[in-house]
Amino acid sequence: QVQLVESGGGSVQAGGSLRLSCAATGYTNSMICMAWFRQAPGKERYGVAAIDTRGGSTYYADSVKGRFTISQDNAKNTLYLQMISLKPEDTAMYYCAASEPWVCSSGYWLSQTSVTYWGQGTQVTVSS
């Protein structure tokens, strides 16, 4: 079992920044592909960024490239999502996700169906 706990969400104005954190506990060695998903009201949940925690390769959705950065601190078993130049359309519930190793490199990290473990989510609201 892997437990994921997100923090760092909040309300900011457009152009602002936030950093989300996800603390992972449990048998984390099996969940090599870590990702951030988001879900806006009435919309599907989809991946915005992922990282292969073995080699550090990162992956981003086109909508966030150049603005979001995913990173990890292995010593703390913590995943981060640094978000800058936030836009109102970034408003959503953000979820931390853990998946099996093959998910990142296959491109399936964008899909919620490939996720094994979820965090409870943290709300990000960007006002114009």
Side-chain angles (χ1 to χ4, degrees), residues 16-96:
S17 302
L18 280 174
R19 189 177 81 155
L20 307 183
S21 299
C22 171
T25 57
Y27 188 52
T28 57
N29 286 344
S30 63
M31 296 294 118
I32 301 299
C33 182
M34 300 293 295
W36 288 96
F37 281 69
R38 69 185 182 188
Q39 185 171 23
K43 295 191 176 180
E44 275 194 45
R45 187 179 303 188
Y46 69 93
V48 295
I51 185 167
D52 183 322
T53 59
R54 292 170 301 186
S57 296
T58 56
Y59 309 85
Y60 296 95
D62 288 343
S63 58
V64 306
K65 276 181 184 175
R67 300 187 300 120
F68 290 12
T69 302
I70 189 170
S71 62
Q72 60 180 342
D73 184 331
N74 288 337
K76 296 181 179 179
N77 267 358
T78 300
L79 182 73
Y80 301 101
L81 185 68
Q82 178 68 51
M83 306 183 292
I84 65 171
S85 303
L86 283 162
K87 306 174 182 179
E89 51 263 44
D90 293 319
T91 295
M93 185 71 79
Y94 283 71
Y95 297 90
C96 179

